Amino acid sequence: WGYGGGIGIELKPYVDGEFYFSDVYNAMNQATREIFITDWFMSTEICLLRNFKTGADNESRLSLLIQKLARKGIKFYILLWNETKIAVNLNSSYTANYLLNLHSENIFIIRHPLLTPVAWSHHQKLIIIDQNIVFLGGLDLAFGRWDTQSHEIYGDFLNGNKLNEIGREGEVWQGKDYYNPVVCGLRDVGEPHVDYFDRKEVPRMAWHDVAVQMRGGGGSGDVSFNFIQRWNHHLGVVKDLAVPMLVPWSCFYYGNSNWNGGGGGRSGGGKVEEEKEVEKEGMEREKTVECQVVRSISNWSAGVDQTESS
């Protein structure tokens, strides 16, 4: 699928969540207009910045970041999987209501589908800033995903710090972020700061996953178009929602060779350049590449006539 891939795309790969989440935090703070988010599972109470000396940075909590940016006028469009509750209860209704209460004017949410197919789920994990900066891969903005390449499975209980209203000071994994689905499945996500089990007895499960950051060119446009296609399809299925339809920015910038934003697609919005080192926050060691975006999608998940399984 897509519009011929993209040339001159700035790409940064990630192995594990530590630097991925910190770059997501920095990139979201660069937003000037809008942010798209879709996940299999989304937890509003995770901290995007943390270390083993001081623990999680509560100022980087996802809910606080979204609220801060929404108050500045950044619009959020968030797609949540309306999960198959007989199989797994992610409590997406709690997440949706919590987010809407942060800022009802600039946060828009769709939960899809209405009638849940037992065999399928929405599994895309995307964060798209201004249809130009894209994060995609295997990492949900969710409990248990933040990890380092050392994959520590014990540790937080040694800090001995007392619980406050947003978690224990000094903890790297707060509350249900200290997660081990082998021992205890997802439950009670509406109580995010209550532990699943005794940390002195049970280790967390290490989370090993990969993702990439992409900027500019047709690739960012393709990923943005994918989100917009899903959003508009879901809006037509889930009736009576007070949320707007979305339009790719390339529709407004077609033929503008000076525009280096997303939504490139057929417009060729990204500037074609020779491979070179790029010096940009969050992209310091990366080069421009040529890549093709692929996806798996079907009629129920995006309204396409033919199932795509690239």
Side-chain angles (χ1 to χ4, degrees):
W1 83 289
Y3 300 107
I7 303 172
I9 295 171
E10 300 163 16
L11 194 72
K12 180 176 183 178
Y14 303 90
V15 179
D16 302 317
E18 179 183 13
F19 299 111
Y20 175 83
F21 283 111
S22 63
D23 281 358
V24 166
Y25 176 82
N26 291 329
M28 286 178 66
N29 276 297
Q30 296 175 26
T32 61
R33 178 171 173 174
E34 64 191 12
I35 296 177
F36 302 158
I37 299 174
T38 186
D39 278 324
W40 178 80
F41 175 37
M42 184 176 179
S43 308
T44 58
E45 294 304 291
I46 62 168
C47 293
L48 301 178
L49 305 177
R50 50 186 109 173
N51 60 66
F52 287 103
K53 291 183 178 180
T54 59
D57 180 355
N58 288 313
E59 295 300 317
S60 72
R61 193 171 302 279
L62 182 59
S63 58
L64 297 181
L65 176 61
I66 290 174
Q67 185 178 55
K68 178 188 75 172
L69 294 176
R71 286 174 174 173
K72 290 181 177 180
I74 304 301
K75 296 187 181 299
F76 284 83
Y77 302 90
I78 301 173
L79 287 176
L80 298 175
W81 175 43
N82 189 8
E83 69 275 18
T84 308
K85 295 175 182 61
I86 194 172
V88 59
N89 188 3
L90 306 177
N91 208 340
S92 60
S93 60
Y94 164 82
T95 302
N97 290 330
Y98 186 94
L99 287 167
L100 288 172
N101 286 331
L102 294 178
H103 198 286
S104 59
E105 293 183 6
N106 287 334
I107 298 175
F108 306 97
I109 296 174
I110 299 178
R111 294 169 62 230
H112 178 271
L114 281 176
L115 299 176
T116 306
V118 175
W120 309 310
S121 70
H122 288 301
H123 224 268
Q124 294 180 352
K125 291 98 173 171
L126 305 172
I127 303 145
I128 305 167
I129 296 103
D130 293 334
Q131 297 189 38
N132 182 38
I133 306 173
V134 171
F135 293 85
L136 72 161
L139 289 162
D140 289 295
L141 292 172
F143 294 137
R145 273 57 171 181
W146 188 97
D147 210 342
T148 68
Q149 294 188 5
S150 62
H151 297 300
E152 301 287 342
I153 58 174
Y154 286 105
D156 275 350
F157 70 89
L158 295 175
N159 291 323
N161 292 335
K162 60 184 179 180
L163 184 70
N164 60 33
E165 69 275 10
I166 54 174
R168 290 182 182 86
E169 296 178 355
E171 282 185 343
V172 178
W173 294 275
Q174 296 181 344
K176 288 181 172 56
D177 202 24
Y178 192 92
Y179 172 66
N180 190 332
V182 176
V183 177
C184 177
L186 287 168
R187 57 180 172 81
D188 302 327
V189 297
E191 299 177 340
H193 305 303
V194 178
D195 288 359
Y196 279 123
F197 36 68
D198 187 346
R199 299 178 184 225
K200 297 180 181 179
E201 302 292 333
V202 181
R204 59 175 289 274
M205 186 179 77
W207 199 277
H208 186 58
D209 221 321
V210 296
V212 296
Q213 178 187 168
M214 178 189 304
R215 295 188 184 220
S220 298
D222 278 351
V223 179
S224 301
F225 179 85
N226 165 82
F227 182 95
I228 291 168
Q229 183 182 28
R230 282 187 54 198
W231 179 273
N232 291 340
H233 166 261
H234 300 349
L235 181 58
V237 173
V238 185
K239 304 294 185 181
D240 301 321
L241 288 176
V243 300
M245 292 188 68
L246 296 175
V247 178
W249 282 15
S250 57
C251 293
F252 300 107
Y253 291 90
Y254 185 86
N256 183 354
S257 60
N258 294 321
W259 182 60
N260 196 31
R266 292 190 183 277
S267 73
K271 183 180 179 182
V272 177
E273 297 178 298
E274 296 296 324
E275 184 179 75
K276 67 175 184 178
E277 297 288 344
V278 294
E279 298 295 334
K280 190 174 293 185
E281 184 178 1
M283 306 291 291
E284 292 83 357
R285 298 178 301 280
E286 308 317 312
K287 296 182 178 180
T288 59
V289 299
E290 180 178 358
C291 72
Q292 173 71 55
V293 181
V294 297
R295 69 175 179 177
S296 175
I297 213 155
S298 64
N299 182 266
W300 83 267
S301 60
V304 296
D305 294 330
Q306 184 175 359
T307 297
E308 300 176 17
S309 54
S310 47

